[in-house]
Amino acid sequence: GCHKRAGEEWKELRSQGNKKTKKNEDNHLEELCGILEEIRSQVVSYAASSLMVPDLFELGNDAPLQLAKCLSTTSTDPTSSITFDVLGKNTSFYFSVCEELHSQDAESFATVIGDVVKHITDSLSKVASLLDEGSNEGVGGNGLFLASALRELCTNKKAAVSLAKTPSFLVPAANTPLAAERVQPPLPQVPPGASQQQMALIRMMQSMRDQASAPYLRRSGPAMEKDTVLGLVLRLGVPAEHPSMASSFSNPATRTRKDVSQITDGFRRQLELYQGKCNELVKALVVAGAESRQRVRSFL
């Protein structure tokens, strides 16, 4: 908020300075612009310090989670998001914080990005389809919000490269002890206070194909889907057996063809929107640099 408002004020003052003004007025505008630039710089510095040393400030003890939540809300109001470029390309608050972090300590920057990605993927792992609202814990939000968070994280190329270098981006290398390990996924549990819809969804997940809860190797198809960043994103869809699908097409004898077409088109638009966000994420990783591009190729 403060970084964006200072940028907007700076832009407005600059536009006034382009008009014919007296010399003393021009000096005053330059002084005000300098103050606004310093405000933007101080806000970025404070945020970077909070991310690198969370215990330094009381409000920064969960800074990576706060950043993940901010990235997840960018799709609801892009012009008010932390990735919005107020003064042109690469001038957003998020981009500036990434550059500041990386310039101070590249290793700390990679650690912060890794923590942010972990928060997002933890929430993604709790989402079974595009029709789920997701958990209120952690980052929260549905699949579209969480995929958007990863996409917006990659608006800074250094962050995109760091994301691609996280251990969870790829399954373990072949013929390694880690690749031979077996994972036993936990069965979904009904949380206290779950709604009827949530309970129906969990029961559906519990009754799905046997391999859903079967042990799997860390280097395997199930591992790619459940334990890698892109796998968690690309696996989501609109399953026919979801309770929302059943309720949307209930009482078919009373529905007109137009009603059914409108419902179907709505699901298709939702899926197309999500597919577009996935394509943007993969493209951002590919164009970020040779290293991230190679990691994407290895995943594919």
Side-chain angles (χ1 to χ4, degrees):
C2 184
H3 186 271
K4 178 175 178 288
R5 289 196 298 272
E8 291 171 342
E9 290 291 335
W10 186 93
K11 192 175 182 179
E12 176 63 25
L13 288 174
R14 281 300 181 190
S15 66
Q16 294 179 19
N18 290 334
K19 301 174 183 178
K20 290 185 178 180
T21 58
K22 295 180 181 179
K23 187 174 182 180
N24 59 338
E25 292 178 348
D26 190 48
N27 291 337
H28 182 60
L29 287 176
E30 287 295 329
E31 183 180 350
L32 290 177
C33 286
I35 292 173
L36 290 171
E37 288 175 355
E38 182 61 23
I39 290 173
R40 283 165 55 84
S41 176
Q42 290 296 325
V43 169
V44 168
S45 179
Y46 173 83
S49 298
S50 296
L51 286 164
M52 281 197 301
V53 190
D55 296 334
L56 191 62
F57 303 102
E58 183 178 354
L59 296 178
N61 60 348
D62 60 347
L65 176 59
Q66 292 182 45
L67 178 55
K69 287 182 175 180
C70 289
L71 290 171
S72 71
T73 59
T74 53
S75 59
T76 58
D77 188 4
T79 59
S80 297
S81 71
I82 62 172
T83 57
F84 181 67
D85 291 322
V86 178
L87 302 177
K89 187 177 180 180
N90 298 338
T91 61
S92 71
F93 173 67
Y94 169 71
F95 187 92
S96 301
V97 170
C98 285
E99 293 298 304
E100 176 72 13
L101 266 173
H102 192 271
S103 67
Q104 290 189 24
D105 190 336
E107 289 186 5
S108 294
F109 171 75
T111 299
V112 168
I113 295 299
D115 290 343
V116 173
V117 172
K118 182 69 165 55
H119 284 301
I120 297 172
T121 53
D122 281 350
S123 293
L124 262 175
S125 68
K126 298 178 176 66
V127 178
S129 77
L130 293 180
L131 303 177
D132 301 335
E133 285 304 314
S135 171
N136 292 326
E137 299 178 357
V139 180
N142 57 29
L144 179 60
F145 280 21
L146 295 169
S148 297
L150 291 173
R151 166 65 187 95
E152 294 302 312
L153 181 143
C154 293
T155 53
N156 182 279
K157 290 187 176 182
K158 295 183 180 69
V161 172
S162 291
L163 184 156
K165 292 169 68 175
T166 57
S168 62
F169 194 82
L170 296 174
V171 294
N175 303 318
T176 61
L178 190 59
E181 286 185 8
R182 287 188 174 273
V183 179
Q184 176 63 61
L187 289 173
Q189 301 296 319
V190 178
S195 65
Q196 290 296 324
Q197 185 177 12
Q198 290 173 325
M199 292 175 65
L201 174 61
I202 292 172
R203 283 195 294 269
M204 177 200 73
M205 294 172 64
Q206 290 174 334
S207 63
M208 285 175 67
R209 58 192 185 279
D210 292 339
Q211 58 265 34
S213 58
Y216 59 87
L217 295 175
R218 287 198 180 276
R219 182 180 174 83
S220 63
M224 287 187 65
E225 180 178 297
K226 299 174 183 179
D227 299 333
T228 65
V229 176
L230 289 180
L232 286 166
V233 174
L234 299 176
R235 70 191 169 90
L236 297 182
V238 183
E241 64 271 18
H242 195 279
S244 294
M245 293 288 284
S247 62
S248 296
F249 292 100
S250 61
N251 302 320
T254 64
R255 295 182 180 274
T256 64
R257 180 178 296 180
K258 183 178 180 180
D259 289 338
V260 174
S261 296
Q262 287 178 340
I263 295 171
T264 303
D265 289 343
F267 284 125
R268 284 175 177 166
R269 285 193 296 270
Q270 187 176 1
L271 189 57
E272 289 172 358
L273 180 62
Y274 187 76
Q275 288 174 337
K277 193 62 64 175
C278 292
N279 292 338
E280 291 175 10
L281 171 60
V282 173
K283 181 180 178 181
L285 289 165
V286 169
V287 301
E291 191 170 7
S292 59
R293 182 162 52 250
Q294 182 57 45
R295 299 274 287 179
V296 172
R297 286 175 178 169
S298 297
F299 173 84
L300 298 176

